[in-house]
Amino acid sequence: MPGNDTTMMRIRPATANDLDAITAIYADAVTNGTSSYELEPPSLKDMTGRFEALAAAGFPYVVAERQGDILGYAYAGPFRTRPAYRFVVENSIYVAPSDRGLGVGRALLERLVIEATRLGFRQMIAVIGDGHADSPSVRLHEKMGFRHSGRLEGSGHKHGRWLDTAFMQLSMNGGVKSDPDPESLPERAFRAAKNKVD
């Protein structure tokens, strides 16, 4: 279908101008899907605040665009806020309903891994709501080399059913095989935060 052609698709950094489309894509996922455990779609103001917080901290946030249309978006943010977790990011990937199954999610995840690796992170975690074996998100992460690292049974309840949460993990920059790079984004941010306190 010409309307779903991804040959002209490009992956680029997200900007504030993309937030209307991003908010709409996420609203559909919240309202109709089970990958997000939010029950009410966040407002444009909420999504703007989330975007600005990630951008200010230097985390990667990208969109898939085709001829001005946003097909999907992805970002990597903190897995947990306690500082020992600073080398770990958690990914989020959402694709517009009309563009699913066309390779958009894979292109976004590939770019996200490249950017997180460049910034010096060591592990990328996927926390997949309704993460059963046939989940498209689980299959995508498996194809991208993520390994299964745990499951929380019955950890969500949405649309009248209990949902399992799957955890998947990808090592980057050698994982645990070497000490942290002092010039990586997480180390520089950690030093900056300590200097503010001191």
Side-chain angles (χ1 to χ4, degrees):
M1 294 175 58
N4 295 104
D5 181 19
T6 57
T7 57
M8 300 297 290
M9 178 179 69
R10 67 183 182 119
I11 308 298
R12 60 164 176 79
T15 72
N17 292 331
D18 303 317
L19 288 170
D20 282 328
I22 287 170
T23 300
I25 290 169
Y26 187 58
D28 176 80
V30 171
T31 302
N32 300 310
T34 49
S35 59
S36 169
Y37 286 1
E38 292 199 70
L39 301 178
E40 297 293 334
S43 67
L44 175 60
K45 181 179 178 181
D46 292 333
M47 293 295 284
T48 299
R50 297 178 189 187
F51 169 75
E52 289 176 347
L54 289 167
F59 288 100
Y61 200 130
V62 298
V63 295
E65 179 190 16
R66 181 191 59 224
Q67 297 179 332
D69 293 328
I70 302 302
L71 313 182
Y73 71 98
Y75 61 85
F79 175 64
R80 295 289 185 272
T81 56
R82 292 181 177 174
Y85 283 114
R86 65 189 179 276
F87 301 102
V88 184
V89 287
E90 178 181 339
N91 71 32
S92 293
I93 306 162
Y94 293 95
V95 177
S98 60
D99 295 295
R100 292 173 188 159
L102 301 174
V104 177
R106 183 180 181 112
L108 287 164
L109 182 53
E110 286 175 345
R111 178 65 174 271
L112 209 56
V113 169
I114 290 169
E115 293 301 317
T117 300
R118 178 182 63 81
L119 292 168
F121 292 101
R122 294 301 182 92
Q123 305 289 336
M124 181 176 286
I125 308 296
V127 181
I128 303 172
D130 197 14
H132 52 83
D134 293 328
S135 160
S137 184
V138 169
R139 294 200 303 266
L140 169 62
H141 283 84
E142 287 174 341
K143 290 175 183 176
M144 287 290 295
F146 283 69
R147 63 188 184 278
H148 290 268
S149 53
R151 175 178 299 275
L152 300 178
E153 295 183 358
S155 48
H157 189 269
K158 189 173 182 181
H159 299 319
R161 63 188 182 91
W162 292 104
L163 307 173
D164 293 350
T165 306
F167 286 76
M168 301 182 73
Q169 180 174 354
L170 179 74
S171 295
M172 302 174 292
N173 291 311
V176 300
K177 294 179 181 177
S178 61
D179 290 334
D181 178 0
E183 296 308 313
S184 65
L185 174 65
E187 278 292 69
R188 288 186 282 110
F190 178 63
R191 288 197 304 270
K194 281 189 67 176
N195 289 338
K196 282 185 180 179
V197 173
D198 295 340

